[in-house]
């Protein structure tokens, strides 16, 4: 089965926002993480391919980052429902 991944070409996070979607390689305080996630979700909420992104992350069980406006733990929760 071929999967259409052309949605990623239209993702708002492709440009200058990628730093918001994944934690830094150094320690990140909880309040810094929460602020970063709020900013990332704002980008997602304005994205025309948000649902495609989420479906992709769920289908490959992406363990890291914010995809389709959902964190790692939120995606794990969706998969258990």
């Amino acid at each position: 089965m071929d999967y259409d991944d052309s949605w990623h070409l239209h993702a708002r996070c492709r440009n200058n926002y990628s730093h918001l979607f994944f934690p830094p390689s150094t320690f990140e305080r909880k309040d810094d993480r929460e602020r970063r996630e709020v900013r990332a979700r704002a980008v997602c909420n304005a994205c025309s391919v948000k649902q495609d992104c989420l479906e992709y992350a769920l289908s490959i069980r992406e363990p890291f980052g914010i995809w389709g406006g959902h964190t790692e733990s939120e995606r794990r929760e969706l998969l258990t429902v």
Side-chain angles (χ1 to χ4, degrees), residues 4-14 49 52-53 67:
D4 179 12
D5 65 351
S6 62
W7 62 267
H8 75 279
L9 298 172
H10 305 288
R12 286 188 53 112
C13 61
R14 281 180 54 92
V49 295
D52 294 312
C53 178
W67 291 73

Side-chain angles (χ1 to χ4, degrees), residues 3 5 14 17 19-20 24-25 29 31 34-35 41-42 47 53 58-59 63 69 71-73 77-78 80:
Y3 180 78
D5 65 351
R14 281 180 54 92
Y17 302 110
H19 66 283
L20 298 176
S25 58
R29 293 181 7 191
D31 57 331
E34 289 171 349
R35 279 194 294 275
R41 288 177 201 267
C47 185
C53 178
L58 293 172
S59 73
T71 64
E72 300 95 333
S73 60
E77 201 171 301
L78 288 174
T80 61

Side-chain angles (χ1 to χ4, degrees), residues 60-77:
I60 66 164
R61 299 191 186 287
E62 174 59 53
F64 303 108
I66 295 177
W67 291 73
H70 290 72
T71 64
E72 300 95 333
S73 60
E74 291 167 340
R75 290 192 309 274
R76 278 192 304 273
E77 201 171 301

Side-chain angles (χ1 to χ4, degrees), residues 45-59:
N45 288 336
C47 185
S48 64
V49 295
K50 177 181 173 181
Q51 188 61 38
D52 294 312
C53 178
L54 176 59
E55 290 172 9
Y56 173 76
L58 293 172
S59 73

